[in-house]
Amino acid sequence: MNALTHKVALVVGGSTGIGLAIAEAMAREGAVVVIAARTESALQKAVEDSDAPLLHKACDVADREQVAQLVRWTEEKVGPVEILAFCAGVNSPKRTFADVEPEDFDRLMAINAGGAFNCLHAVLPGMRARGGGLVINVVSLAGLRTIQLAGAPYSASKYAQASLGTMANLEALPDGVRVTNLYPGETNTPILENRPVPVSAEKKARMLQPEDVAAIAVTIAKLPPRATVPEVVITPHHMPLL
């Protein structure tokens, strides 16, 4: 029997990229996986194209009530959420103070940071009451180091998201709930489409691939409850963490 057999995993931001790779990897390890994202058509495509069994439900992570409904729906369909992977994240092509739109700043904060808060706020009470659970908070290297290419709004939102994960880990660990901040460097995902300058296929090939990050997430999820991993950094060769 696989270590994750029958575990209920909710992957938010699970229709593409890192989120979908984590969802598929956990499903292959025996977990019962629900993927959530804002767009129903993207979720349906992910489920249809995947060779892993996935359930899905549309949810806007910036909407607190929708997130609460998502958690309730998951509990009713398959059981209490034992693993949450928060992978939702967006960026904007306009990233500098010289050209940033204030509305874009608000949107990034609402999704990247506000979405993380909403998901943590929805799942932590149940996990703490049951005496166990795991949250994998997929941040970004831009939430650990200030990277000019990432832009001011994205970096600010990711630092906030990282802080939320750290605080949740400190608060919930005494109740048996573990929270890991996962910091990937450049990864070949659809978020690259919002780069100010298009990314070449050659450069994408040198980046991390979603399955690389998923492998780390699954390894963390398979650890015994006594083992806590507060944070993990994974980068491609061209951007080592110094």
Side-chain angles (χ1 to χ4, degrees), residues 202-221:
E202 181 183 2
K203 185 170 184 180
K204 287 180 180 179
R206 294 198 303 268
M207 295 179 179
L208 295 174
Q209 302 303 306
E211 57 268 27
D212 303 333
V213 185
I216 296 292
V218 168
T219 297
I220 293 167

Side-chain angles (χ1 to χ4, degrees), residues 25-111:
M26 288 191 174
R28 293 185 190 110
E29 291 288 338
V32 180
V33 180
V34 174
I35 59 172
R38 186 173 59 178
T39 307
E40 176 69 24
S41 59
L43 287 166
Q44 290 178 352
K45 185 178 188 307
V47 171
E48 291 168 1
D49 292 348
S50 179
D51 62 356
L54 302 172
L55 300 172
H56 73 282
K57 182 170 176 57
C59 176
D60 181 353
V61 296
D63 186 318
R64 192 161 298 139
E65 180 53 32
Q66 284 193 36
V67 173
Q69 290 174 1
L70 169 66
V71 173
R72 290 195 294 269
W73 181 90
T74 302
E75 291 174 345
E76 292 168 2
K77 287 288 184 180
V78 293
V81 177
E82 297 169 273
I83 302 170
L84 167 68
F86 181 80
C87 311
V90 295
N91 205 344
S92 168
K94 296 181 178 181
R95 303 181 177 191
T96 68
F97 281 102
D99 67 1
V100 67
E101 299 289 349
E103 295 80 7
D104 277 344
F105 177 85
D106 293 343
R107 181 173 64 93
L108 266 61
M109 291 299 294
I111 294 171

Side-chain angles (χ1 to χ4, degrees), residues 54-204:
L54 302 172
L55 300 172
H56 73 282
K57 182 170 176 57
C59 176
D60 181 353
V61 296
D63 186 318
R64 192 161 298 139
E65 180 53 32
Q66 284 193 36
V67 173
Q69 290 174 1
L70 169 66
V71 173
R72 290 195 294 269
W73 181 90
T74 302
E75 291 174 345
E76 292 168 2
K77 287 288 184 180
V78 293
V81 177
E82 297 169 273
I83 302 170
L84 167 68
F86 181 80
C87 311
V90 295
N91 205 344
S92 168
K94 296 181 178 181
R95 303 181 177 191
T96 68
F97 281 102
D99 67 1
V100 67
E101 299 289 349
E103 295 80 7
D104 277 344
F105 177 85
D106 293 343
R107 181 173 64 93
L108 266 61
M109 291 299 294
I111 294 171
N112 299 349
F117 173 83
N118 292 339
C119 290
L120 286 164
H121 190 261
V123 302
L124 283 179
M127 287 181 173
R128 297 175 79 175
R130 294 189 297 272
L134 171 67
V135 176
I136 297 175
N137 186 33
V138 180
V139 190
S140 166
L141 197 59
L144 190 64
R145 295 284 189 273
T146 300
I147 301 171
Q148 190 171 14
L149 176 62
Y154 186 80
S155 295
S157 68
K158 287 296 179 175
Y159 267 91
Q161 180 188 344
S163 182
L164 288 167
T166 300
M167 289 297 293
N169 191 47
L170 292 172
E171 181 179 328
L173 266 177
D175 300 316
V177 180
R178 301 162 293 150
V179 182
T180 297
N181 280 349
L182 180 49
Y183 298 97
E186 283 189 317
T187 308
N188 181 18
T189 72
I191 200 170
L192 296 176
E193 295 169 10
N194 284 319
R195 284 274 179 96
V197 177
V199 182
S200 69
E202 181 183 2
K203 185 170 184 180
K204 287 180 180 179

